[in-house]
Amino acid sequence: MIGTNPVILKAGGGCCTISVVPENLTAHLKEVTRSCRGLILMDLAFKKEAAVWQELFPTFRVIYPKARGEAVKTWNEARRLLTILAEENYARDDWLIVRGGGSLTDLGAFCGGLYRRGLKLALVATTLLAAVDAAVGGKTAINFGGAKNQVGHFYLPELVLVDLAAFRSLPRIRLAEGLVEAYKTGLLFDRRLAELVNTRTEELLAGDSELLAEIAQCSFMAKATLVVQDFREKKGLREILNLGHTYGHVVEFYSKISHGAAVARGLSVVAEISQRLTGLPAAAAAEIRAVAERLGGPWPVSPPAAEISRLLKTDKKIRGGRLHFVALEDLERPRLIEVTADELIQAAKSTQNTGQYV
């Protein structure tokens, strides 16, 4: 049954409960936060609900960012949120509730972990992308200096809720973005999850709640298992979660396409490089390229080689000046290898598509 199996993630000295909430989201939050004081940061898409939320949470203030999507992950937005927290003298036992997609949960968690070294934080994921990726695992970040996720830290929220009811208003293309990240997780840890995304695509894109809840549950269970082993990314284990993100972040930042479409583009490059350098079977590589193109294509023309090389230098997997790339030997068999910018550029040229968006 939907929403009956919460996952407990203990890492970094904190404890986070992750749950799918099919209905009565506000009742669930009221039970957890009780009569505490706090701040609710809400995506602009939910502004029409302001009066209802303010009435339900009279000891909380409801605020909204000035932008949406990646445009919200700026120092100006972070400074604005931190200023509100400081001027209204919120304490460490007060709550910051963030309700929105992955970009907003990134921003909210970034500020929530910085303010007074951390207050009580609840992330309410209203998109599939946030539910399977950004809101789970304790990573926070804003964009800075012309590159993605350059300033951030690790801070585990006390609570992550997947707002399943909000998924009903998501268009197919937004659901597709989340399915890309779920597919990535399946390629890394759970062959059945990857197969579910591949074979039940139309039902998932049509908004089947049971299937979407299963996708979210399988994804954050798999991710939590790894995160607990390497919360602060010191052992190199957590780096494999960046499958598809090395080249994906390049095209996302340069071409301004969505994160999901960019990761799909990155997965097509992963398939090409893995087939050539780590022995990924040709059939598996072809399937990955097909799923990536179906969910994320068509992609813009690749950035100029000089821009690719520049943006790759901002990648967080660079060690000793060398770029570590997450490849696949097979499904559920990731491997870190060293690649050059030229190898990535060539793989991108080889996989440029002409497909159609979902």
Side-chain angles (χ1 to χ4, degrees):
M1 185 174 176
I2 294 176
T4 57
N5 299 303
V7 172
I8 307 298
L9 171 58
K10 294 182 179 180
C15 181
C16 175
T17 301
I18 312 168
S19 302
V20 176
V21 181
E23 55 188 14
N24 298 324
L25 171 69
T26 52
H28 194 103
L29 279 171
K30 284 178 71 70
E31 181 181 349
V32 172
T33 59
R34 294 188 173 87
S35 58
C36 295
R37 179 172 177 254
L39 189 67
I40 300 173
L41 176 63
M42 192 96 71
D43 188 277
L44 284 165
F46 303 110
K47 201 163 187 176
K48 60 183 180 296
E49 302 174 17
V52 174
W53 278 70
Q54 196 64 77
E55 182 179 353
L56 289 170
F57 296 89
T59 59
F60 283 70
R61 177 184 173 189
V62 180
I63 65 168
Y64 298 86
K66 293 185 178 298
R68 297 194 68 195
E70 282 293 306
V72 82
K73 291 172 58 174
T74 65
W75 177 243
N76 283 340
E77 285 284 357
R79 180 171 55 189
R80 175 173 170 263
L81 179 53
L82 289 167
T83 298
I84 292 171
L85 289 168
E87 287 182 348
E88 300 191 10
N89 199 31
Y90 286 98
R92 295 184 70 181
D93 59 351
D94 290 328
W95 282 89
L96 173 61
I97 299 173
V98 185
R99 183 178 183 228
S103 296
L104 195 67
T105 58
D106 272 355
L107 170 74
F110 175 76
C111 294
L114 285 180
Y115 178 72
R116 296 194 177 181
R117 300 195 185 99
L119 42 61
K120 289 185 175 182
L121 177 67
L123 303 180
V124 181
T126 60
T127 66
L128 182 60
L129 183 59
V132 303
D133 182 43
V136 179
K139 272 190 176 181
T140 84
I142 58 172
N143 303 329
F144 192 79
K148 185 177 172 68
N149 294 344
Q150 290 300 290
V151 178
H153 60 99
F154 298 92
Y155 186 66
L156 198 66
E158 292 198 17
L159 185 67
V160 173
L161 300 179
V162 177
D163 185 359
L164 197 62
F167 289 8
R168 298 188 190 116
S169 63
L170 294 176
R172 285 168 63 91
I173 196 166
R174 297 295 302 280
L175 289 170
E177 292 173 17
L179 291 179
V180 171
E181 282 284 1
Y183 184 65
K184 174 213 76 175
T185 301
L187 293 175
L188 288 169
F189 308 116
D190 188 343
R191 188 183 300 260
R192 179 183 168 278
L193 174 58
E195 188 65 16
L196 190 62
V197 174
N198 182 28
T199 61
R200 308 289 294 275
T201 305
E202 280 306 311
E203 293 160 88
L204 288 161
L205 291 174
D208 186 302
S209 293
E210 290 282 350
L211 278 178
L212 289 170
E214 185 176 358
I215 289 287
Q217 184 88 12
C218 290
S219 295
F220 58 64
M221 283 180 66
K223 186 172 181 179
T225 300
L226 180 67
V227 167
V228 73
Q229 300 175 63
D230 188 19
F231 179 63
R232 298 190 184 279
E233 218 167 39
K234 297 296 186 182
K235 301 176 184 177
L237 300 175
R238 190 164 176 166
E239 285 187 339
I240 65 172
L241 291 170
N242 284 289
L243 183 75
H245 287 60
T246 299
Y247 188 74
H249 279 169
V250 168
V251 295
E252 180 180 2
F253 208 86
Y254 181 83
S255 301
K256 308 304 180 188
I257 63 175
S258 72
H259 180 71
V263 173
R265 182 71 179 104
L267 287 176
S268 72
V269 171
V270 166
E272 180 75 12
I273 287 179
S274 298
Q275 187 177 350
R276 290 194 290 107
L277 300 183
T278 60
L280 178 69
E287 180 180 299
I288 292 169
R289 284 192 289 265
V291 174
E293 188 166 338
R294 188 166 77 241
L295 291 175
W299 300 295
V301 174
S302 295
E307 280 300 298
I308 294 176
S309 297
R310 180 185 72 82
L311 289 167
L312 286 174
K313 291 175 183 177
T314 68
D315 193 282
K316 295 178 289 299
K317 296 184 297 301
I318 290 178
R319 300 288 185 273
R322 297 180 177 181
L323 177 62
H324 289 192
F325 183 86
V326 187
L328 292 168
E329 294 179 345
D330 205 340
L331 271 65
E332 301 180 354
R333 290 176 58 192
R335 176 180 160 192
L336 279 173
I337 62 174
E338 291 183 2
V339 298
T340 65
D342 286 343
E343 287 172 320
L344 279 177
I345 291 166
Q346 184 55 50
K349 287 180 179 178
S350 300
T351 54
Q352 186 67 48
N353 73 8
T354 56
Q356 297 299 314
Y357 282 108
V358 296

